[in-house]
Structures are given as structure tokens and as C-alpha cells.
Amino acid sequence: MLRPLEELKVAIVGLGYVGLPLAVEFGKVRPVMGFDISEPRIRNLRSGLDETAEVELADLQSAAGLSLTASVEDIKHCDVFIIAVPTPIDANKKPDLTPILAASAMVGSVLKQGDLVIFESTVYPGATEEDCVPVLEQASQLKFNRDFFAGYSPERINPGDRNHRLPDIKKVTAGSTPEVAEMVDALYRQIVTAGTFKARNIRIAEAAKVIENTQRDLNIALVNELAMIFNKLDIDTLEVLEAAGTKWNFLPFRPGLVGGHCIGVDPYYLTQKAQSIGYDPEVILAGRRVNDSMGLYVAGQFVKALLRKNIDCKRARVLVMGLAFKENCPDIRNTKVVDVVRELEDFGISVDVYDPLVDKDQAYREFKITLINEIEKRAYDGVLVAVPHKAILATTQPQDFASFTKAQHVIYDLKGVLPLELEALRL
């Protein structure tokens, strides 16, 4: 039997890009325990430092009900466990449920009669009840929907976005029984001012989440393919999109690299599930192939531009500005800028990478890339503006480029943000 909403003790399991904002918002309205297996992460948060840059010190201080811990013992007294851990893909682009199953086993070890486990991680339809619940049952020796219950409310966090925050984004909710569904919905209504949408069951909520990013992935793949066609026709893609965008129902997608923990990952969760039931998702996988190839395409375009200016790639030095997967965000998970860097290096080009937002130790640990601290004057045969953080745009005026490029050089403006007088190559 579920306890009354006001009596529930909530724990957030996983304090990354998704879990921390969630813990902070709940901490503003009720007691909540924020748990992460990383003790350094907990120490940093206690001192007011969030490496993800999603939560400011003032936000942490305003969450009076938030307690932080790396000890499982501290969450034993909780009744609701919201699991917000990564769901990545492996080297073969297959869903890797290791983190979410490990979190389920850990929560299962402290689960008791009447508890509720809510998942926020992106998964394929059926994963909560088919994969995670059995782990909870085994670890707890409790029976699902008799002794404990499950819910699902997929995250909609957009890293680096200061305009669309957790309370401002409508939240999809679901529960393993009608009573649980109402409890889950009521819980999230406490912190989401934009309102909630209660799905009929967990599988519907899981499917809704996974197609949100699949749809975006396909639309970006379309404009990426259009960009490749228009480049061959010597037509400026961004000008074409601007013209087409004057029609009221034209969708404003732009070409680019598709990385990060969502758009470049989530479609593989859906395609894996589809293939497991005997359906080959041709359109979705075609879009993935296009987007996964864009790093090599950009590098190839850049190299051709160098050669057209008689710049020897074996002696060329290039500056890549931005390593994160998107603007104004330090997140380097699944960043496709790495594909560009590796391909340029394969051509014998010496590549410097500059990103003032990304942690240097993490960049080296993940990709063996040593980020430079400062841009060297008059050093570069080419500059590729890959991720136009605000901090990077502040150094990309014509006079700036004149100061750190050689007389003969190539500028590649991946996102179409540079002044036109620079005559930069664009995707």
C-alpha cells in the first residue's frame, strides 16, 4: 500500500545532468536525499561546485531540503527512489543498460514494503518492467505491484539551456498501476510549473521519450544530407534554409554534428528493440548513418579547402574551437568534434583544440586530447569553429582571426555564426 504523498521520503539516485536539477527542485519544496556513487562529486556539490554547470550556487543554496550522500545506508529510510543514471550505447552502438541495472540492484538492496521506484533514464519501450523490475525483485526479494511499485517519468533536460529549465518543461509521467500513476503525477506536479501529462502506462511513456529525440535526429539528418547536396551545387545551405523558413510550417532545423547523450544515442534504443521483434527500422538507421558520418564529411571539406589554397596538410597547423557536444555546455559525452579532429590528424595535420568550458583532465582522459589554454598568435593555416560557445564567439571577430591565422588560411564556420566578411566555409 502506498503511503500518503506528504509522508513520502524521496531519494534521487544519480546526480548528473538529470538528477541534480531534479534533486534541487524537490529540495526547494520538501526533504530529499541526493545520492551519487562518486564521493568527489558529493564533496564538490557540498562545497557549491557543479562540474556540469547545470546548477548555480544560488540554486543549491535555495534547496533547503536537499541532503547529499554517497552512502547507500543514508537512503535506506526513503520511500521513493528516483533513478536518473546514464543509458549509453556501447562500441557497437547497442544499448548499454549496465548503469541502470546496477542502480536498480543497489536500490533493490534497500527496498522495503510499499516503496516506489521511478525511472527517468531514457530506455526502449518495456525496459522498466522487463529489465529493471526483475533486478529490483531479485535484490529485494519483494514482489512487484504487491510489495513495491514502479513509475516512469522521462527526463527532458537540455544541457546548457538557460531558458528551458526543469520546472518550465511539461513532464510525462506513468505508473505501474492507476493508483501509482496518480501518485507519480502528483509528486512531479510539486516541482513542474509547466504541468504534467499522465500516460496510460509505462511503455507509452518510454516510447514517447525515445521518439522525441529520434524525430529530431531524422530532421537533422535530412538537412545534413541537403547540405551535402547543396555543397556540390555550390549553393549556400543556410541561405536556402532561411528562404524556405519563410513558409509558416517549415521546420527550422539546421545542419551540424549530432552528438551528446540524447539525440545521437536514443534512436539506437528504439532500433535495437525494433530488431528484437523482427522489424528492420530502415529510415531511423539511415538517419543515424548520415549523422554519424558528418564528422568525416566536415574534415574532408576542410582538407579540400586547404588544398585549394595550396596549403600542405603534412605541414599544416589547424585550430579547432570547441570540443563539447553543444554550445555553452561543458558536456563532451559522444561529441562528434572528436571525429573531425581524428580525421584531420589522419591527413597529417597538426591540430590544436581550444574549449574554455571543457574540463582539461576529462578531455584527456576520454579522448587523449590535450586542450590548449590560449590561442597562439599567427600560428594557424586553418581555423574550424565547431562549437560556438559564447566565450568562443567573443574571440571570433575579423580582427581576432587576423591575429592568430597566417596570411594564407582557411576558416570553417560549422554553425554559420561568423561575420560574412570572413568568407568562411560553411556546412
Side-chain angles (χ1 to χ4, degrees):
M1 177 68 79
L2 289 171
R3 300 170 182 85
L5 180 64
E6 60 274 9
E7 295 180 11
L8 295 177
K9 302 178 184 69
V10 178
I12 310 297
V13 178
L15 298 178
Y17 284 88
V18 174
L20 181 60
L22 196 65
V24 166
E25 293 304 323
F26 272 120
K28 293 176 182 178
V29 298
R30 64 185 301 148
V32 61
M33 182 66 71
F35 171 88
D36 199 281
I37 60 173
S38 170
E39 291 186 1
R41 172 70 168 158
I42 295 299
R43 283 198 301 270
N44 286 339
L45 290 175
R46 283 175 176 165
S47 66
L49 174 63
D50 171 29
E51 300 96 328
T52 69
E54 284 301 300
V55 173
E56 304 287 346
L57 175 59
D59 292 318
L60 282 168
Q61 292 173 336
S62 67
L66 174 60
S67 301
L68 299 166
T69 185
S71 171
V72 178
E73 289 294 314
D74 291 337
I75 63 173
K76 278 186 172 181
H77 69 283
C78 293
D79 314 299
V80 178
F81 301 89
I82 301 179
I83 296 178
V85 297
T87 42
I89 53 175
D90 63 20
N92 297 314
K93 303 189 187 305
K94 300 296 184 183
D96 180 6
L97 295 179
T98 303
I100 197 170
L101 295 181
S104 298
M106 187 204 71
V107 168
S109 71
V110 297
L111 209 59
K112 54 192 180 300
Q113 197 88 16
D115 283 355
L116 169 61
V117 184
I118 303 172
F119 293 87
E120 288 235 351
S121 310
T122 302
V123 290
Y124 47 74
T128 297
E129 292 159 300
E130 296 167 12
D131 296 287
C132 298
V133 163
V135 173
L136 291 169
E137 287 186 314
Q138 182 177 12
S140 66
Q141 294 299 298
L142 299 175
K143 183 68 177 174
F144 177 51
N145 274 344
R146 184 193 70 189
D147 303 320
F148 74 93
F149 307 90
Y152 186 74
S153 183
E155 59 89 4
R156 280 177 167 170
I157 296 294
N158 188 24
D161 189 339
R162 291 291 176 261
N163 296 317
H164 302 92
R165 310 303 289 169
L166 175 62
D168 311 317
I169 304 171
K170 196 161 192 173
K171 201 86 163 69
V172 174
T173 67
S176 56
T177 71
E179 182 188 9
V180 170
E182 181 53 41
M183 178 69 77
V184 173
D185 199 66
L187 183 64
Y188 280 102
R189 287 200 304 268
Q190 292 187 328
I191 62 169
V192 181
T193 56
T196 58
F197 178 91
K198 187 168 62 175
R200 185 164 54 86
N201 57 47
I202 288 175
R203 287 166 60 87
I204 290 171
E206 291 168 326
K209 170 57 183 177
V210 80
I211 70 165
E212 289 174 13
N213 288 323
T214 300
Q215 182 187 64
R216 293 181 64 202
D217 191 40
L218 285 171
N219 277 293
I220 297 170
L222 173 61
V223 293
N224 275 337
E225 190 163 68
L226 291 174
M228 290 187 275
I229 294 170
F230 293 144
N231 279 339
K232 285 185 173 294
L233 295 172
D234 196 25
I235 297 173
D236 189 296
T237 302
L238 296 185
E239 291 184 4
V240 172
L241 294 175
E242 183 181 9
T246 59
K247 190 170 187 284
W248 75 90
N249 59 353
F250 186 82
L251 300 177
F253 286 91
R254 294 174 64 139
L257 303 177
V258 181
H261 64 105
C262 286
I263 303 180
V265 172
D266 295 354
Y268 288 118
Y269 275 77
L270 184 57
T271 57
Q272 167 78 2
K273 186 66 174 180
Q275 289 167 336
S276 73
I277 58 173
Y279 181 80
D280 185 22
E282 297 180 32
V283 174
I284 299 172
L285 288 174
R288 281 280 72 236
R289 284 192 293 272
V290 169
N291 285 340
D292 274 347
S293 71
M294 290 308 293
L296 303 184
Y297 177 78
V298 168
Q301 292 292 101
F302 195 88
V303 168
K304 289 177 183 177
L306 290 173
L307 295 175
R308 283 195 294 269
K309 291 202 172 185
N310 296 315
I311 298 173
D312 184 359
C313 289
K314 297 292 185 182
R315 298 180 180 177
R317 188 175 175 191
V318 164
L319 172 66
V320 173
M321 303 182 80
L323 179 63
F325 88 89
K326 65 177 291 188
E327 297 92 326
N328 307 313
C329 168
D331 194 349
I332 59 174
R333 285 177 294 174
N334 195 35
T335 175
K336 295 302 177 184
V337 179
V338 172
D339 294 352
V340 180
V341 173
R342 296 287 182 252
E343 186 72 358
L344 291 176
E345 290 175 336
D346 283 347
F347 278 98
I349 296 170
S350 174
V351 182
D352 285 353
V353 183
Y354 172 72
D355 194 317
L357 300 190
V358 169
D359 180 79
K360 291 179 174 57
D361 291 338
Q362 186 184 12
Y364 187 80
R365 187 168 59 249
E366 295 292 328
F367 304 117
K368 296 296 185 287
I369 289 177
T370 302
L371 295 176
I372 61 172
N373 294 315
E374 294 182 354
I375 299 172
E376 192 172 330
K377 299 297 183 182
R378 303 194 181 282
Y380 299 104
D381 301 280
V383 179
L384 193 154
V385 181
V387 190
H389 301 307
K390 290 178 182 177
I392 283 178
L393 286 178
T395 60
T396 53
Q397 293 305 303
Q399 63 270 21
D400 298 311
F401 281 100
S403 72
F404 52 72
T405 56
K406 298 176 182 177
Q408 190 80 321
H409 62 266
V410 170
I411 299 173
Y412 197 122
D413 180 12
L414 187 56
K415 293 292 186 75
V417 296
L418 299 182
L420 291 177
E421 58 263 36
L422 285 169
E423 298 181 353
L425 187 69
R426 301 202 294 195
L427 182 58

